[in-house]
Amino acid sequence: MADIVVFVRSKSRYGDQIVAFPALYLVKKLWPDKQVRVVSRFDVGDFYTRLPWVDQFVRADAFSDQVRAFPRGASASLTLHHSSERFALLNLLRRPALRLGFNNRRIGDCVWTHSHIKDIREYIGLANLRLLATIQPHDPEAIARECFLEIVRPCAGKVKPADIVMIPGGGKGPFKRWSVEHYVALADLLQTRLGGDSVFSFVLGPAETAERAWLEHLNRPDFRLESGRSVAELVALMQDARLVVANDCGPSHIGQGLCVPYVGVFNEPNPEWFWARDYTRDVVPDAGSSDINSIPPARVLEACMAVLADPKSRSSCDRVAQAAHRSLNNPVPLQA
């Protein structure tokens, strides 16, 4: 029997799952004695069944299957989907005591007992946590980092940590890929500015075979190539990184959730997928262009140096790390 049912967004991509992890972690902290069931329209169970705070995963595409995945005895539901009326109807049919969902100025908004206004200018992972803040206030950055530090526990000490992480992927296509050649040029600029002893870890996925071959051909001692890493291994790689620079891709949300200095390179402003904070910057093409490769490495360097050199940036990162560390070492469940 599932006590808490979570409907994740009806998307199948890597990043869509990663941004849900902190919210699921907080659900288990709010209700530590309850069974948590995640429901998705897609076959993404591997992302969720590996999480220690998810008890069940159910794939349910048709409405009738989603009704069956939502037990009558559930005490709460969390709907991370932003717009579809079907999830409001599901909650209306099952009527758990607590029904959390996004307010979109739709008829179904009246179903929610707790809601957060959906705003496309707000990072999706943050919006999920703010929805849960209607149950109990919390520090979203500390919760996000704490979540990923829990994920990394099984491989603690098994992955060599990175200094500077570069993520040149972009699963939706070339329009999201600031080229690996630009990343190498950026590495050269950073090497000069930071004293010449930096090591760059390039995170590569199965679609980056050409990029991997080119980087291997360079045979540079200051480059490490990381391919085929699991989510936990990527967390271990990035958790104490001095800097993460990434295209808009799935693994970028691990870096953002870890709350380390971060620079995102985008083909256009995309605040739903960029978590703006003191220690983060986004870089987009000049006005009138959507060509991501029109962004010169020197502009990305400026953003990198801003997050590395700003004392406010460093103090914000330190605050989040300390808050997450205190909570992990004093695991008192939150009380809903």
Side-chain angles (χ1 to χ4, degrees), residues 7 19 24 27 47 57 68-70 75 130 150 152 159 164 184 203 213 218-219 226 268 282 284 306 324 327:
F7 291 99
V19 293
L24 290 166
V27 164
F47 282 100
F57 172 84
R68 285 192 288 271
F70 196 160
S75 56
R130 284 183 169 163
E150 283 285 357
V152 82
V159 176
I164 296 175
V184 170
V203 172
L218 295 178
N219 194 30
E226 302 285 353
E268 62 183 2
D282 62 333
V284 299
S327 185

mmCIF file of all heavy atoms in Angstrom, residues 7 19 24 27 47 57 68-70 75 130 150 152 159 164 184 203 213 218-219 226 268 282 284 306 324 327:
data_model
loop_
_atom_site.group_PDB
_atom_site.id
_atom_site.type_symbol
_atom_site.label_atom_id
_atom_site.label_comp_id
_atom_site.label_asym_id
_atom_site.label_seq_id
_atom_site.Cartn_x
_atom_site.Cartn_y
_atom_site.Cartn_z
ATOM 1 N N PHE A 7 3.156 12.010 -8.606
ATOM 2 C CA PHE A 7 3.078 11.983 -10.064
ATOM 3 C C PHE A 7 4.164 12.907 -10.601
ATOM 4 O O PHE A 7 4.096 14.134 -10.433
ATOM 5 C CB PHE A 7 1.706 12.450 -10.545
ATOM 6 C CG PHE A 7 0.592 11.502 -10.222
ATOM 7 C CD1 PHE A 7 -0.237 11.721 -9.131
ATOM 8 C CD2 PHE A 7 0.368 10.380 -11.020
ATOM 9 C CE1 PHE A 7 -1.269 10.844 -8.834
ATOM 10 C CE2 PHE A 7 -0.662 9.500 -10.728
ATOM 11 C CZ PHE A 7 -1.478 9.720 -9.631
ATOM 12 N N VAL A 19 15.582 16.728 -11.631
ATOM 13 C CA VAL A 19 15.045 17.869 -10.897
ATOM 14 C C VAL A 19 13.955 17.461 -9.904
ATOM 15 O O VAL A 19 13.583 18.251 -9.029
ATOM 16 C CB VAL A 19 14.511 18.965 -11.846
ATOM 17 C CG1 VAL A 19 15.649 19.594 -12.634
ATOM 18 C CG2 VAL A 19 13.434 18.425 -12.781
ATOM 19 N N LEU A 24 11.439 14.566 -3.861
ATOM 20 C CA LEU A 24 11.158 13.227 -3.343
ATOM 21 C C LEU A 24 11.893 12.996 -2.026
ATOM 22 O O LEU A 24 11.358 12.370 -1.098
ATOM 23 C CB LEU A 24 11.577 12.177 -4.372
ATOM 24 C CG LEU A 24 10.696 12.123 -5.620
ATOM 25 C CD1 LEU A 24 11.371 11.313 -6.714
ATOM 26 C CD2 LEU A 24 9.330 11.542 -5.290
ATOM 27 N N VAL A 27 9.927 14.749 0.606
ATOM 28 C CA VAL A 27 8.708 14.000 0.930
ATOM 29 C C VAL A 27 8.997 12.960 2.011
ATOM 30 O O VAL A 27 8.256 12.813 2.986
ATOM 31 C CB VAL A 27 8.129 13.333 -0.334
ATOM 32 C CG1 VAL A 27 7.125 12.244 0.025
ATOM 33 C CG2 VAL A 27 7.464 14.377 -1.229
ATOM 34 N N PHE A 47 15.598 5.409 -12.640
ATOM 35 C CA PHE A 47 15.989 6.638 -11.957
ATOM 36 C C PHE A 47 15.485 6.653 -10.514
ATOM 37 O O PHE A 47 16.158 7.176 -9.626
ATOM 38 C CB PHE A 47 15.417 7.863 -12.683
ATOM 39 C CG PHE A 47 16.170 8.246 -13.921
ATOM 40 C CD1 PHE A 47 15.688 7.878 -15.169
ATOM 41 C CD2 PHE A 47 17.335 8.981 -13.853
ATOM 42 C CE1 PHE A 47 16.367 8.245 -16.321
ATOM 43 C CE2 PHE A 47 18.020 9.343 -14.996
ATOM 44 C CZ PHE A 47 17.538 8.976 -16.238
ATOM 45 N N PHE A 57 7.807 2.147 -7.758
ATOM 46 C CA PHE A 57 7.632 2.901 -8.999
ATOM 47 C C PHE A 57 6.586 2.180 -9.833
ATOM 48 O O PHE A 57 6.613 0.952 -9.966
ATOM 49 C CB PHE A 57 8.936 3.000 -9.794
ATOM 50 C CG PHE A 57 8.745 3.611 -11.153
ATOM 51 C CD1 PHE A 57 8.723 4.989 -11.315
ATOM 52 C CD2 PHE A 57 8.533 2.808 -12.281
ATOM 53 C CE1 PHE A 57 8.511 5.555 -12.563
ATOM 54 C CE2 PHE A 57 8.320 3.366 -13.527
ATOM 55 C CZ PHE A 57 8.311 4.752 -13.669
ATOM 56 N N ARG A 68 -5.646 3.288 -11.029
ATOM 57 C CA ARG A 68 -5.275 2.089 -10.262
ATOM 58 C C ARG A 68 -3.973 2.302 -9.483
ATOM 59 O O ARG A 68 -3.786 1.700 -8.425
ATOM 60 C CB ARG A 68 -5.136 0.893 -11.203
ATOM 61 C CG ARG A 68 -6.471 0.328 -11.679
ATOM 62 C CD ARG A 68 -6.292 -1.011 -12.370
ATOM 63 N NE ARG A 68 -5.658 -0.841 -13.683
ATOM 64 C CZ ARG A 68 -6.332 -0.620 -14.806
ATOM 65 N NH1 ARG A 68 -7.651 -0.529 -14.779
ATOM 66 N NH2 ARG A 68 -5.695 -0.490 -15.958
ATOM 67 N N ALA A 69 -3.090 3.148 -9.992
ATOM 68 C CA ALA A 69 -1.828 3.410 -9.295
ATOM 69 C C ALA A 69 -2.000 4.335 -8.096
ATOM 70 O O ALA A 69 -1.064 4.522 -7.317
ATOM 71 C CB ALA A 69 -0.826 4.023 -10.269
ATOM 72 N N PHE A 70 -3.197 4.876 -7.943
ATOM 73 C CA PHE A 70 -3.481 5.868 -6.899
ATOM 74 C C PHE A 70 -4.448 5.223 -5.901
ATOM 75 O O PHE A 70 -5.655 5.287 -6.061
ATOM 76 C CB PHE A 70 -4.123 7.091 -7.547
ATOM 77 C CG PHE A 70 -4.139 8.340 -6.708
ATOM 78 C CD1 PHE A 70 -4.307 9.572 -7.316
ATOM 79 C CD2 PHE A 70 -4.005 8.308 -5.330
ATOM 80 C CE1 PHE A 70 -4.337 10.747 -6.580
ATOM 81 C CE2 PHE A 70 -4.033 9.464 -4.579
ATOM 82 C CZ PHE A 70 -4.195 10.686 -5.207
ATOM 83 N N SER A 75 -2.665 8.855 1.907
ATOM 84 C CA SER A 75 -2.874 9.994 2.798
ATOM 85 C C SER A 75 -2.481 11.325 2.167
ATOM 86 O O SER A 75 -2.927 12.380 2.615
ATOM 87 C CB SER A 75 -2.087 9.792 4.099
ATOM 88 O OG SER A 75 -0.717 9.573 3.827
ATOM 89 N N ARG A 130 9.374 24.556 -3.456
ATOM 90 C CA ARG A 130 8.488 25.593 -2.927
ATOM 91 C C ARG A 130 7.058 25.095 -2.796
ATOM 92 O O ARG A 130 6.307 25.560 -1.928
ATOM 93 C CB ARG A 130 8.569 26.838 -3.812
ATOM 94 C CG ARG A 130 9.860 27.615 -3.572
ATOM 95 C CD ARG A 130 9.955 28.882 -4.376
ATOM 96 N NE ARG A 130 11.070 29.698 -3.914
ATOM 97 C CZ ARG A 130 11.621 30.694 -4.609
ATOM 98 N NH1 ARG A 130 11.138 30.994 -5.805
ATOM 99 N NH2 ARG A 130 12.626 31.376 -4.116
ATOM 100 N N GLU A 150 23.012 12.315 0.014
ATOM 101 C CA GLU A 150 22.458 10.999 0.376
ATOM 102 C C GLU A 150 22.606 10.025 -0.789
ATOM 103 O O GLU A 150 22.911 8.847 -0.595
ATOM 104 C CB GLU A 150 20.979 11.138 0.767
ATOM 105 C CG GLU A 150 20.745 11.705 2.144
ATOM 106 C CD GLU A 150 21.041 10.696 3.244
ATOM 107 O OE1 GLU A 150 21.368 9.530 2.910
ATOM 108 O OE2 GLU A 150 20.954 11.069 4.424
ATOM 109 N N VAL A 152 24.927 9.899 -2.960
ATOM 110 C CA VAL A 152 26.320 9.519 -3.188
ATOM 111 C C VAL A 152 26.845 8.509 -2.169
ATOM 112 O O VAL A 152 27.901 7.906 -2.378
ATOM 113 C CB VAL A 152 27.217 10.781 -3.191
ATOM 114 C CG1 VAL A 152 27.574 11.226 -1.780
ATOM 115 C CG2 VAL A 152 28.486 10.555 -4.011
ATOM 116 N N VAL A 159 35.102 7.278 -6.252
ATOM 117 C CA VAL A 159 35.256 8.110 -7.441
ATOM 118 C C VAL A 159 36.190 9.260 -7.101
ATOM 119 O O VAL A 159 35.997 9.944 -6.090
ATOM 120 C CB VAL A 159 33.900 8.662 -7.925
ATOM 121 C CG1 VAL A 159 34.091 9.601 -9.117
ATOM 122 C CG2 VAL A 159 32.962 7.521 -8.301
ATOM 123 N N ILE A 164 37.569 20.994 -11.833
ATOM 124 C CA ILE A 164 36.642 21.760 -12.676
ATOM 125 C C ILE A 164 35.943 20.788 -13.613
ATOM 126 O O ILE A 164 36.594 19.983 -14.284
ATOM 127 C CB ILE A 164 37.380 22.846 -13.473
ATOM 128 C CG1 ILE A 164 37.994 23.876 -12.512
ATOM 129 C CG2 ILE A 164 36.441 23.533 -14.458
ATOM 130 C CD1 ILE A 164 38.841 24.925 -13.181
ATOM 131 N N VAL A 184 37.273 23.406 -24.760
ATOM 132 C CA VAL A 184 38.731 23.292 -24.679
ATOM 133 C C VAL A 184 39.369 24.684 -24.665
ATOM 134 O O VAL A 184 40.303 24.949 -23.882
ATOM 135 C CB VAL A 184 39.272 22.440 -25.842
ATOM 136 C CG1 VAL A 184 40.804 22.516 -25.918
ATOM 137 C CG2 VAL A 184 38.830 20.989 -25.665
ATOM 138 N N VAL A 203 32.542 15.453 -18.612
ATOM 139 C CA VAL A 203 31.480 14.457 -18.436
ATOM 140 C C VAL A 203 30.823 14.228 -19.790
ATOM 141 O O VAL A 203 30.261 15.152 -20.385
ATOM 142 C CB VAL A 203 30.454 14.926 -17.391
ATOM 143 C CG1 VAL A 203 29.250 13.984 -17.364
ATOM 144 C CG2 VAL A 203 31.100 15.011 -16.013
ATOM 145 N N ALA A 213 36.296 11.057 -28.770
ATOM 146 C CA ALA A 213 37.417 10.704 -29.650
ATOM 147 C C ALA A 213 38.338 11.895 -29.856
ATOM 148 O O ALA A 213 39.573 11.759 -29.850
ATOM 149 C CB ALA A 213 36.881 10.191 -30.984
ATOM 150 N N LEU A 218 43.635 14.666 -28.284
ATOM 151 C CA LEU A 218 44.429 15.766 -27.740
ATOM 152 C C LEU A 218 45.461 15.270 -26.730
ATOM 153 O O LEU A 218 46.530 15.872 -26.576
ATOM 154 C CB LEU A 218 43.519 16.806 -27.073
ATOM 155 C CG LEU A 218 42.547 17.562 -27.996
ATOM 156 C CD1 LEU A 218 41.688 18.507 -27.173
ATOM 157 C CD2 LEU A 218 43.288 18.315 -29.082
ATOM 158 N N ASN A 219 45.097 14.187 -26.021
ATOM 159 C CA ASN A 219 46.035 13.553 -25.086
ATOM 160 C C ASN A 219 46.627 14.562 -24.090
ATOM 161 O O ASN A 219 47.842 14.587 -23.850
ATOM 162 C CB ASN A 219 47.157 12.851 -25.866
ATOM 163 C CG ASN A 219 47.953 11.891 -24.987
ATOM 164 O OD1 ASN A 219 47.411 11.325 -24.041
ATOM 165 N ND2 ASN A 219 49.224 11.710 -25.299
ATOM 166 N N GLU A 226 35.246 11.411 -18.417
ATOM 167 C CA GLU A 226 34.333 10.627 -17.579
ATOM 168 C C GLU A 226 33.134 10.214 -18.422
ATOM 169 O O GLU A 226 32.296 11.040 -18.778
ATOM 170 C CB GLU A 226 33.875 11.451 -16.365
ATOM 171 C CG GLU A 226 34.989 11.967 -15.474
ATOM 172 C CD GLU A 226 35.600 10.882 -14.601
ATOM 173 O OE1 GLU A 226 35.059 9.760 -14.592
ATOM 174 O OE2 GLU A 226 36.600 11.160 -13.912
ATOM 175 N N GLU A 268 19.350 30.284 -25.435
ATOM 176 C CA GLU A 268 18.438 31.387 -25.155
ATOM 177 C C GLU A 268 18.184 31.408 -23.650
ATOM 178 O O GLU A 268 18.420 30.403 -22.972
ATOM 179 C CB GLU A 268 17.109 31.211 -25.908
ATOM 180 C CG GLU A 268 16.354 29.965 -25.517
ATOM 181 C CD GLU A 268 15.067 29.756 -26.317
ATOM 182 O OE1 GLU A 268 14.809 30.581 -27.208
ATOM 183 O OE2 GLU A 268 14.344 28.802 -26.032
ATOM 184 N N ASP A 282 24.314 32.404 -15.972
ATOM 185 C CA ASP A 282 23.959 31.820 -17.261
ATOM 186 C C ASP A 282 24.505 32.727 -18.354
ATOM 187 O O ASP A 282 24.570 33.950 -18.201
ATOM 188 C CB ASP A 282 22.449 31.609 -17.406
ATOM 189 C CG ASP A 282 21.659 32.916 -17.332
ATOM 190 O OD1 ASP A 282 22.137 33.874 -16.694
ATOM 191 O OD2 ASP A 282 20.549 32.975 -17.894
ATOM 192 N N VAL A 284 24.148 33.474 -22.535
ATOM 193 C CA VAL A 284 23.319 33.244 -23.719
ATOM 194 C C VAL A 284 23.876 34.077 -24.873
ATOM 195 O O VAL A 284 24.656 35.007 -24.658
ATOM 196 C CB VAL A 284 21.844 33.610 -23.452
ATOM 197 C CG1 VAL A 284 21.274 32.758 -22.332
ATOM 198 C CG2 VAL A 284 21.696 35.093 -23.126
ATOM 199 N N ALA A 306 33.559 35.370 -12.386
ATOM 200 C CA ALA A 306 32.625 36.061 -11.492
ATOM 201 C C ALA A 306 32.207 35.166 -10.335
ATOM 202 O O ALA A 306 32.169 35.596 -9.179
ATOM 203 C CB ALA A 306 31.406 36.540 -12.269
ATOM 204 N N ALA A 324 23.600 21.774 4.924
ATOM 205 C CA ALA A 324 23.362 20.386 4.520
ATOM 206 C C ALA A 324 24.138 19.425 5.410
ATOM 207 O O ALA A 324 23.624 18.368 5.803
ATOM 208 C CB ALA A 324 23.756 20.194 3.060
ATOM 209 N N SER A 327 22.433 19.010 8.814
ATOM 210 C CA SER A 327 21.220 18.203 8.740
ATOM 211 C C SER A 327 21.534 16.721 8.560
ATOM 212 O O SER A 327 20.896 15.857 9.163
ATOM 213 C CB SER A 327 20.348 18.699 7.584
ATOM 214 O OG SER A 327 19.117 18.021 7.563
#
